[in-house]
Amino acid sequence: MTPVQVCQVGGRFSRCHNPAEHTCQYCGRAFCAAHTDYVADHEAVCTRKRCHAKRVDLEEHLAYRARVAQRNRAGLCGIEGCGPHPGFECSLCLGLFCGEHLRERHYPFQEGRISVERPVSICAHCWERRKIWRVR
Ligand SMILES: [Zn+2]
Ligand SMILES: [Zn+2]
Ligand SMILES: [Zn+2]
Ligand SMILES: [Zn+2]
C-alpha cells in the first residue's frame, strides 16, 4: 500500500494533515481541498500568497492585453486615454505604445535558476509584473 500524500501547504505551526488532491503549478507543493485556490482542467493553484498572486496577475494580464489589442486595432496607444500612432512594441506583451509609454529597461529574465538582465522596451504594466514573477 502506498502512503497517502499529505498536504504541504499549511503553516509551520499549523501543519495540515488532509490528504493532498492536487499539486500546485507554481510552487510544486501538494495541497488538499481546503488549501485550493483554483483548480481547472490543467491548472492547480494552492492558497499560498505568492501562488494566489500569480494566478490573479495572469488573469489581469490577459485582460490588459485584450484592452491593449483593442486600442491598437483602433490605431491608438495601448494606454487608456492616450493618442494615436503607437510606434513602439513592448517586448513582453507585444502591445503597441507611443514613445512616452514605453521605456528601455533592463529586465530580469529567468533562465533556469539564474536571472539574466536584458535590455528591453517595456510598458509599465509588464515592468510591474516582474515583482510577482521573480523567483526567490
Ligand atoms: Zn503553490
Ligand atoms: Zn491542506
Ligand atoms: Zn507590455
Ligand atoms: Zn501612449
Side-chain angles (χ1 to χ4, degrees):
M1 196 179 124
T2 44
V4 177
Q5 165 100 62
V6 169
C7 176
Q8 301 172 311
V9 169
R12 197 183 302 177
F13 302 107
S14 56
R15 283 213 159 274
C16 178
H17 296 289
N18 296 333
E21 292 179 10
H22 305 279
T23 302
C24 178
Q25 69 197 61
Y26 296 129
C27 68
R29 286 174 172 79
F31 61 91
C32 70
H35 284 113
T36 297
D37 182 56
Y38 180 77
V39 169
D41 291 348
H42 298 287
E43 292 185 75
V45 182
C46 75
T47 51
R48 294 176 75 231
K49 243 197 196 144
R50 300 189 53 143
C51 301
H52 171 75
K54 285 179 177 172
R55 181 178 71 77
V56 170
D57 173 72
L58 263 188
E59 266 173 28
E60 284 174 3
H61 184 58
L62 288 178
Y64 174 80
R65 285 184 65 167
R67 274 201 311 277
V68 169
Q70 205 175 24
R71 291 183 57 81
N72 286 169
R73 273 196 301 276
L76 299 167
C77 164
I79 300 299
E80 223 72 48
C82 194
H85 309 305
F88 305 90
E89 187 185 74
C90 172
S91 305
L92 297 196
C93 69
L94 307 181
L96 298 175
F97 300 89
C98 68
E100 233 171 89
H101 283 125
L102 215 61
R103 287 274 155 76
E104 292 289 328
R105 297 192 193 261
H106 280 81
Y107 189 89
F109 288 96
Q110 214 58 41
E111 293 191 351
R113 283 168 171 273
I114 55 165
S115 111
V116 181
E117 296 208 343
R118 295 222 182 80
V120 289
S121 301
I122 189 169
C123 71
H125 171 82
C126 291
W127 180 240
E128 284 305 310
R129 295 184 79 216
R130 81 196 182 286
K131 295 175 194 161
I132 291 167
W133 292 93
R134 81 178 158 208
V135 181
R136 212 181 298 159

